[in-house]
Amino acid sequence: MTAVDPVDLTARLIRCPSVTPDEAGALTLLADLLSEAGFECTRVDRNGTANLFARWGAKGANKSLGFNGHTDVVPPGNAADWRFDPFSATEAEGKLWGRGACDMKSGVAAFVAAAVDHVRKTPPDGALVLTITGDEEGDATDGTVALLDWMAETGETISHCIVGEPTCPTVMGEMIKNGRRGSMNAKIVARGVQGHAAYPHRAKNPVSALVRLLDHLARFSLDDGNANFDPSTLALTSIDTGNPATNVIPAQSTAALNIRFNDLHTGESLSQWLHAEADKVAKETGVAFDLKIKVSGESFVTNPGWFTDLVSDAVEVETGRRPVLSTSGGTSDARFVKSICPVVEVGLVGSSMHQVDEHVEIAHIQQLNAIYARIIAAYFDDA
């Protein structure tokens, strides 16, 4: 089989309008290509979400290097606002333009091309495993999670994993992610007693009580960070009463917040803290609070060692820069993969992801493909 051009593969993937949760042919394209190269491919679809598992080498091999990524993309918005059609994969000015060009069809194309190129060199007791989902930009409940559930049921394993998300703020090779903060969302509903604004003593004002609670939460310092993580943050994201009347104290008011937390906390400990603070204000005001909390992922860190060194060495050789190990930014599917093996993220410059006129430098796709190829070779002692 001839080598796969990662730029051409990126373009072909962009032309699949795989707005989450639609597969739109992207995983079918990859499954056909990988099957032709000798990978054993299995579709692991769940609840209408398409996922692909592909392995070359022995099941349960002593050395199994995994790559994880996604082919689903966020909606393009108004196509008229784009310089080029968002699903045309237009090449111009040394860049490839289109929805998913940066996040993260180029990353998937780069590691698929590197894997296909290397399969004939992998040692007999080694395996390359690719897990590619169509649910990263959605609820993330039936994508990588479904793949990991299926792997546990069937005895498939990964020893170490690379997630191909964009990781560089501005310059190729400047950063890899060896961990991520946890993330949780909370919706708070304050329930009081409606009344006339001229007689506030006859009502229980949920707005006042909610503002008191939110002010305390927003002012509170969760921690000062540590060697691996920046300080945890709490951001108020919504306050809504929906009261059109100026002379009525409403019966209910709601708010939402997001917490990004380091490993000094867990989703459970922060949930307990939120409930305790709400209980304090409830006792002070007589207003009841209902909290709905969803933990999107716990914090994690892959400690520096031979694996992070191996990845950093490959990045440095191909870019001339030694990447910084970072746990900054949002969440990714690495938060799920970390439950089965050490994981790091290494990818492109992410400055245009989710934006109108999303694009990627064509040279960067080729560079990332070379980084992944070097990682694979070094992992199997074949550099």
Side-chain angles (χ1 to χ4, degrees):
M1 181 176 178
T2 58
V4 175
D5 179 354
V7 178
D8 175 70
L9 182 55
T10 301
R12 293 165 66 191
L13 288 172
I14 291 171
R15 293 186 188 111
C16 299
S18 51
V19 176
T20 192
D22 292 337
E23 185 266 340
L27 290 181
T28 301
L29 167 64
L30 294 174
D32 290 345
L33 187 155
L34 289 165
S35 295
E36 183 181 352
F39 281 77
E40 182 177 334
C41 294
T42 305
R43 281 286 290 270
V44 186
D45 296 2
R46 188 168 80 180
N47 293 331
T49 295
N51 304 294
L52 176 65
F53 178 91
R55 171 174 43 79
W56 192 92
K59 180 178 180 179
N62 287 333
K63 283 187 174 182
S64 52
L65 178 61
F67 285 87
N68 173 268
H70 64 92
T71 55
D72 62 317
V73 299
V74 298
N78 186 357
D81 293 336
W82 286 67
R83 181 179 176 186
F84 306 105
D85 184 286
F87 297 109
S88 65
T90 299
E91 290 190 28
E93 302 169 356
K95 301 178 180 69
L96 188 60
W97 302 75
R99 176 57 84 221
C102 178
D103 183 18
M104 61 165 290
K105 289 183 174 180
S106 50
V108 170
F111 70 62
V112 167
V116 168
D117 188 54
H118 191 82
V119 289
R120 291 177 298 277
K121 302 176 185 177
T122 307
D125 198 25
L128 278 170
V129 176
L130 310 185
T131 55
I132 307 171
T133 176
D135 187 37
E136 199 272 348
E137 301 290 8
D139 292 335
T141 55
D142 295 304
T144 294
V145 174
L147 283 162
L148 296 179
D149 289 345
W150 178 84
M151 289 175 63
E153 294 167 1
T154 57
E156 296 283 358
T157 59
I158 300 175
S159 305
H160 297 85
C161 190
I162 304 289
V163 175
E165 289 280 1
T167 55
C168 300
T170 57
V171 181
M172 189 67 179
E174 66 181 322
M175 182 180 290
I176 64 177
K177 306 285 188 178
N178 68 318
R180 290 281 189 170
R181 295 179 297 173
S183 178
M184 62 186 295
N185 293 294
K187 180 181 179 181
I188 304 173
V189 180
R191 302 185 191 280
V193 176
Q194 183 175 313
H196 198 296
Y199 305 97
H201 59 285
R202 297 177 180 172
K204 290 183 181 178
N205 195 328
V207 181
S208 300
L210 182 60
V211 168
R212 184 184 302 190
L213 174 60
L214 295 179
D215 180 63
H216 179 73
L217 296 177
R219 288 174 178 268
F220 188 79
S221 176
L222 290 167
D223 57 71
D224 296 322
N226 57 23
N228 292 319
F229 290 94
D230 291 333
S232 301
T233 60
L234 183 150
L236 304 178
T237 57
S238 175
I239 301 175
D240 184 22
T241 301
N243 180 15
T246 59
N247 61 347
V248 175
I249 294 172
Q252 179 175 305
S253 186
T254 64
L257 59 85
N258 175 265
I259 301 177
R260 299 299 171 116
F261 57 94
N262 56 38
D263 56 359
L264 297 173
H265 310 274
T266 65
E268 178 60 27
S269 69
L270 289 169
S271 296
Q272 292 176 1
W273 171 68
L274 289 174
H275 279 286
E277 296 304 317
D279 288 344
K280 290 179 186 177
V281 177
K283 290 178 181 178
E284 295 169 358
T285 63
V287 171
F289 292 97
D290 295 330
L291 278 69
K292 292 184 178 180
I293 298 172
K294 179 180 179 181
V295 179
S296 301
E298 301 287 347
S299 65
F300 75 94
V301 64
T302 298
N303 291 321
W306 76 267
F307 183 53
T308 58
D309 287 345
L310 182 151
V311 173
S312 297
D313 290 345
V315 173
E316 185 174 19
V317 169
E318 296 298 336
T319 68
R321 298 179 184 87
R322 188 72 180 178
V324 173
L325 298 180
S326 174
T327 59
S328 62
T331 59
S332 75
D333 277 1
R335 70 188 189 271
F336 306 126
V337 178
K338 58 88 176 173
S339 65
I340 66 167
C341 69
V343 57
V344 298
E345 299 173 54
V346 55
L348 296 166
V349 175
S351 56
S352 73
M353 58 183 176
H354 291 203
Q355 295 184 358
V356 168
D357 289 336
E358 182 177 353
H359 61 273
V360 62
E361 297 277 352
I362 290 174
H364 288 176
I365 301 175
Q366 298 164 333
Q367 202 169 29
L368 185 61
N369 172 246
I371 289 170
Y372 290 153
R374 188 170 291 276
I375 289 172
I376 294 171
Y379 187 84
F380 294 111
D381 298 320
D382 193 30

